[in-house]
Amino acid sequence: MFKNPIVKNILSAVAVAVFGFILLNLTFLFDFLIQSLVVRLIELFTSVDFETIDFQTSFQWLPPAMHGLFVVIIGVISWLVFRSRRGTLYKAIYMTVPLALVFVTLGIFLYRWPIVAYSIGGMLGIGILSFFYRTKQPWLYYYTFILISLAMLLVGLLGVEI
């Protein structure tokens, strides 16, 4: 049954959707842990109480800096994963993380200008698809990109808060 290419492709698509969703949830938990660690480290060296602080007036730079740190960490992990000898299925499942992170980051930094955020996201998407086409990437990468792009588009359009 698993030798049949149609069954194998369907199971691969389901695996990307299911394990990608699980991995995205784990990624957001990892982000929480990283941000909590950064806050605790800052609290060790300062007298700031982050439970009562107003980020609009002081420490405005901290949330974007913590998100930037997380982007760098995921970028390093992604570079290691995509340079590894793992199979296409594993890389396609993992690809859900950096793709979602890119779209979420665009949404975070450009939430005041949704048309700009969607335009840049669309241009980025076209660039990614053309990269896949030029480098002759497997269909599973296209599928992962379309799945995450549509999911993040729905998150943005429906106003879901992460």
Side-chain angles (χ1 to χ4, degrees):
M1 182 166 123
F2 294 116
K3 300 280 186 193
N4 186 342
I6 295 172
V7 173
K8 182 180 174 185
N9 289 342
I10 291 171
L11 290 176
S12 295
V14 170
V16 166
V18 170
F19 291 112
F21 178 74
I22 293 168
L23 195 56
L24 282 175
N25 285 301
L26 292 174
T27 301
F28 286 117
L29 288 173
F30 181 56
D31 184 29
F32 170 76
L33 290 173
I34 294 293
Q35 290 191 18
S36 297
L37 179 65
V38 168
V39 166
R40 298 301 170 246
L41 285 172
I42 291 172
E43 286 177 339
L44 281 175
F45 299 106
T46 65
S47 61
V48 176
D49 181 19
F50 283 101
E51 298 296 325
T52 61
I53 195 168
D54 180 18
F55 284 106
Q56 296 297 329
T57 58
S58 57
F59 287 94
Q60 296 176 25
W61 55 271
L62 188 59
M66 287 192 300
H67 186 73
L69 173 66
F70 186 68
V71 167
V72 168
I73 291 170
I74 294 299
V76 169
I77 294 170
S78 298
W79 183 78
L80 293 171
V81 168
F82 291 119
R83 291 289 178 191
S84 72
R85 295 185 186 269
R86 297 276 177 204
T88 300
L89 179 61
Y90 296 110
K91 290 180 181 179
I93 291 170
Y94 178 76
M95 190 187 303
T96 60
V97 172
L99 285 173
L101 185 63
V102 165
F103 289 122
V104 166
T105 301
L106 279 173
I108 288 172
F109 289 110
L110 299 173
Y111 74 94
R112 293 181 186 173
W113 308 285
I115 293 176
V116 174
Y118 293 125
S119 298
I120 292 174
M123 289 185 288
L124 185 68
I126 291 169
I128 290 170
L129 288 175
S130 67
F131 172 77
F132 287 168
Y133 181 76
R134 281 187 290 125
T135 58
K136 297 180 176 51
Q137 296 300 321
W139 71 271
L140 211 47
Y141 289 0
Y142 290 91
Y143 169 74
T144 302
F145 172 78
I146 291 168
L147 181 70
I148 292 300
S149 297
L150 289 176
M152 292 295 111
L153 180 63
L154 286 175
V155 164
L157 292 176
L158 297 176
V160 175
E161 293 192 22
I162 297 176

